Amino acid sequence: MNLILLGPPGAGKGTQAQRMVDRYHTPQISTGDILRSAVKESAPLGMKAKGFMDQGQLVPDEIVIGIIEERLKAKDCDSGFILDGFPRTIPQAEALQPILTKIGKKIDHVINIEVDPEELVRRLTGRRTCKNCGAMFHLLFQPPKKEGICDRCGGTLYLRADDKEETIRTRLKEYEKQTAPLIQYYQGKKTLRSIQGVGGPDQIFDQIVRLLDATPV
Ligand SMILES: [Zn+2]
């Protein structure tokens, strides 16, 4: 089972990917993780990527795609894989196609976790960080015992610039702009399956399992 997981920031993609790894025993391939490990292993492409990362620049598509290709050829992908965070754009999706053909694989499902944007704003602006020790809390999911105060050290909790509503809305808009065409692209290929990312992680995972079990590959 080869799949792509799509979903906006705050949709809980990472959690769902981890649960799928546990249930289906297929590796999760996240661009960030494999870039970091390519750098750590000093692989040739990893070293090229590092050059860009060190300068705070985005790693160009051709390098990311090369690293993805290497990763997909690894033995543990024989039984399947879960692509998380890739492809992010149409050019990346178009570049993925010939790689899959070359290694004799295809995408079976593209799972798109849909969440109402206002719900995402609520989730993503709820994080509070301790000024003193860096501990993180969440107003909805993990509230501190005393409002505005760190449970661990008594320090003051604050809203990081990254977590401010304006920043979050910009990120969500950016995601929407990049991903809407991607969703159409996979809809055209008839591999797209959308699920509603409402309720807790268990409820969302149930939907994924039902969907995958109903359409075995
Ligand atoms: Zn603290």
Side-chain angles (χ1 to χ4, degrees):
M1 181 181 64
N2 305 327
L3 57 89
I4 294 172
L5 195 55
L6 295 179
K13 252 177 341 123
T15 309
Q16 298 303 325
Q18 191 49 55
R19 288 184 182 212
M20 281 191 262
V21 170
D22 295 341
R23 184 178 172 109
Y24 298 104
H25 310 290
T26 50
Q28 171 192 7
I29 301 178
S30 119
T31 327
D33 288 350
I34 60 171
L35 270 176
R36 276 187 291 274
S37 75
V39 169
K40 216 168 97 195
E41 288 159 16
S42 306
L45 281 170
M47 296 324 287
K48 275 197 197 166
K50 188 173 184 299
F52 290 95
M53 281 148 67
D54 285 348
Q55 291 173 45
Q57 290 173 354
L58 271 180
V59 180
D61 269 3
E62 70 225 48
I63 296 177
V64 176
I65 289 157
I67 292 175
I68 294 269
E69 178 173 1
E70 289 303 308
R71 182 66 189 86
L72 288 176
K73 284 181 187 160
K75 189 106 198 73
D76 66 341
C77 290
D78 283 355
S79 60
F81 54 81
I82 301 161
L83 279 172
D84 166 15
F86 183 93
R88 217 182 270 282
T89 60
I90 295 271
Q92 288 183 350
E94 282 171 343
L96 178 62
Q97 200 48 55
I99 292 173
L100 292 171
T101 308
K102 198 157 82 182
I103 58 178
K105 292 183 200 288
K106 66 176 182 62
I107 297 297
D108 301 306
H109 301 289
V110 178
I111 296 183
N112 178 35
I113 307 180
E114 291 180 331
V115 186
D116 172 56
E118 292 311 309
E119 168 64 15
L120 291 173
V121 169
R122 243 161 42 90
R123 289 184 195 174
L124 292 165
T125 53
R127 195 157 68 165
R128 294 293 179 275
T129 309
C130 174
K131 258 185 188 152
N132 184 41
C133 76
M136 285 198 274
F137 298 86
H138 194 286
L139 299 184
L140 302 172
F141 308 126
Q142 202 200 339
K145 288 197 183 79
K146 212 172 145 197
E147 201 189 314
I149 305 289
C150 175
D151 290 353
R152 204 198 281 169
C153 75
T156 308
L157 301 182
Y158 78 112
L159 181 64
R160 285 178 13 170
D162 297 3
D163 300 331
K164 285 195 175 139
E165 183 170 336
E166 203 187 306
T167 318
I168 299 290
R169 287 197 187 272
T170 309
R171 258 175 80 199
L172 291 174
K173 257 195 214 125
E174 194 55 38
Y175 174 84
E176 177 70 34
K177 208 171 82 192
Q178 284 191 337
T179 316
L182 200 56
I183 287 170
Q184 276 188 331
Y185 175 87
Y186 284 115
Q187 232 157 16
K189 294 190 174 297
K190 313 236 182 290
T191 40
L192 189 84
R193 313 273 180 265
S194 287
I195 62 156
Q196 296 305 312
V198 287
D202 290 341
Q203 283 159 285
I204 299 174
F205 190 58
D206 277 352
Q207 291 186 63
I208 294 179
V209 169
R210 254 182 284 143
L211 192 148
L212 294 178
D213 291 355
T215 41
V217 293

